[in-house]
Amino acid sequence: STIASSFQQKDSTVMVRHSKGSTIVTITQGTGEGLSSGGTVSFFYAGYYLTSGSISNSNLFATNSREIAETAGWNLSDTTVFRADTLNISDAELVKGLKNGIIGVKSGEECLIMFNQDYGFGKKIIGNIPENSALAYHLWIESVAN
């Protein structure tokens, strides 16, 4: 796919899989067991809405990565948000597409999880995210525990 090839790195194999309405592009392979539906995961992320079909700083809506925030020119006055989020997947309040796509990720993995509005916010306008927006989450997985 075009998105997969844009993340292709030297000496790496980008893998694409689908899970319950989500497309997962694995950019960097992780190690160990994959996250189960009752497991806990720690990760950094950048969330994008995809009205134009591309990922850029102009459609970034959330991140806990200082590097991503700085690159996007965001105000960095509250630095407490720049730490890995740790969530138990069974308790986490995630949009359906992210919850479906994050199952199976491994420690050390870098991936992109994309899904349409039916698995995101639908017809709701959330912050600067337009209604009916497809979403993409770029994740850097720190650890997985099942």
Side-chain angles (χ1 to χ4, degrees), residues 17-132:
R17 66 181 172 89
H18 304 279
S19 176
K20 300 178 183 176
S22 296
T23 299
I24 302 93
V25 178
T26 302
I27 302 158
T28 303
Q29 302 297 313
T31 59
E33 65 181 322
L35 178 67
S36 70
S37 58
T40 299
V41 61
S42 293
F43 61 97
F44 286 94
Y45 71 92
Y48 302 88
Y49 59 89
L50 302 176
T51 53
S52 64
S54 65
I55 293 173
S56 69
N57 289 337
S58 65
N59 56 356
L60 175 70
F61 67 85
T63 188
N64 63 352
S65 165
R66 179 185 300 271
E67 181 181 337
I68 298 291
E70 286 174 349
T71 301
W74 283 18
N75 180 344
L76 304 176
S77 60
D78 181 6
T79 58
T80 62
V81 300
F82 300 123
R83 58 179 166 66
D85 282 355
T86 300
L87 306 171
N88 180 301
I89 293 306
S90 60
D91 298 335
E93 292 187 25
L94 301 173
V95 291
K96 191 174 188 178
L98 181 55
K99 197 165 197 171
N100 291 343
I102 202 169
I103 300 299
V105 298
K106 297 178 179 180
S107 294
E109 188 168 300
E110 178 185 355
C111 63
L112 190 65
I113 300 173
M114 299 168 289
F115 44 91
N116 71 28
Q117 69 277 2
D118 295 336
Y119 296 92
F121 299 116
K123 294 183 180 193
K124 295 178 191 165
I125 298 172
I126 305 291
N128 63 337
I129 304 169
E131 66 181 337
N132 294 320

